[in-house]
């Protein structure tokens, strides 16, 4: 099966091979993260709450739609990195800290496995991992 990761273009026709999805990130923090993404030649976009119940691969590919049934919402901030190689990811996180951007505890890299999950399922898994890593059960 082909990966849902595509080459994205912004409105200035610059080619970006990496994408950062923003969940519930607003205001100054969103502006700071957008600036960082642009400086690093990474595309970013806000994931809208109506997309939270869609599979991540559909969100990445721009195929997300209003899911059937009750909406799946969460308020946690979350970042999902798509097509970002380890070295660039570590560089991003280093610059993130150096710029003094307030932390986003829930972060993930899109993988062949987790793109089948909904954004809400990914958030739940990250929250479980975050609790375990911080010693909270």
């Amino acid at each position: 099966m082909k990966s849902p990761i595509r080459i994205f273009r912004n409105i200035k026709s610059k080619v970006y091979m990496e994408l950062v999805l923003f969940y519930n990130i607003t205001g100054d923090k969103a502006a700071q993260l957008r600036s960082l993404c642009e400086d690093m030649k990474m595309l970013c976009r806000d994931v809208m709450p109506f997309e939270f119940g869609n599979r991540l691969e559909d969100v990445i590919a721009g195929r997300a739609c209003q899911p059937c049934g009750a909406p799946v919402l969460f308020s946690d901030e979350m970042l999902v990195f798509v097509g970002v190689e380890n070295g660039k990811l570590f560089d991003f996180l280093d610059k993130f800290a150096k710029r003094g951007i307030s932390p986003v505890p829930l972060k993930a890299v899109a993988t062949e496995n987790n793109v089948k999950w909904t954004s809400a399922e990914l958030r739940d898994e990250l929250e479980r991992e975050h609790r375990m890593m911080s010693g909270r059960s």
Side-chain angles (χ1 to χ4, degrees):
M1 180 178 133
K2 292 194 175 193
S3 167
I5 300 168
R6 306 277 190 267
I7 294 177
F8 300 90
R9 295 183 185 271
N10 76 357
I11 57 174
K12 296 178 185 174
S13 296
K14 294 179 184 173
V15 174
Y16 292 88
M17 296 181 70
E18 301 97 0
L19 170 67
V20 183
L21 298 174
F22 294 3
Y23 290 81
N24 300 316
I25 298 175
T26 59
D28 289 340
K29 182 186 262 186
Q32 291 174 306
L33 283 168
R34 286 184 204 295
S35 175
L36 175 57
C37 287
E38 186 170 323
D39 291 349
M40 295 191 66
K41 308 289 188 255
M42 300 166 77
L43 185 63
C44 61
R45 86 164 182 89
D46 295 310
V47 178
M48 298 292 107
F50 78 85
E51 298 175 277
F52 292 3
N54 287 269
R55 291 186 315 178
L56 191 56
E57 66 186 345
D58 292 328
V59 173
I60 293 166
R63 295 188 306 257
C65 61
Q66 185 70 39
C68 299
V72 180
L73 301 175
F74 56 88
S75 59
D76 304 274
E77 293 179 334
M78 182 169 75
L79 295 173
V80 178
F81 298 88
V82 181
V84 180
E85 296 195 15
N86 284 344
K88 192 161 187 179
L89 177 61
F90 295 136
D91 191 30
F92 180 95
L93 296 173
D94 184 54
K95 289 178 180 179
F96 182 104
K98 286 180 179 171
R99 291 185 184 202
I101 302 171
S102 61
V104 176
L106 304 180
K107 293 182 270 314
V109 173
T111 67
E112 214 174 283
N113 292 323
N114 68 17
V115 295
K116 302 293 183 198
W117 302 348
T118 66
S119 296
E121 289 168 336
L122 177 61
R123 177 252 169 243
D124 291 346
E125 179 62 24
L126 291 173
E127 178 60 28
R128 274 190 294 278
E129 289 176 7
H130 184 68
R131 277 196 318 267
M132 286 176 58
M133 297 297 285
S134 64
R136 297 179 292 141
S137 297

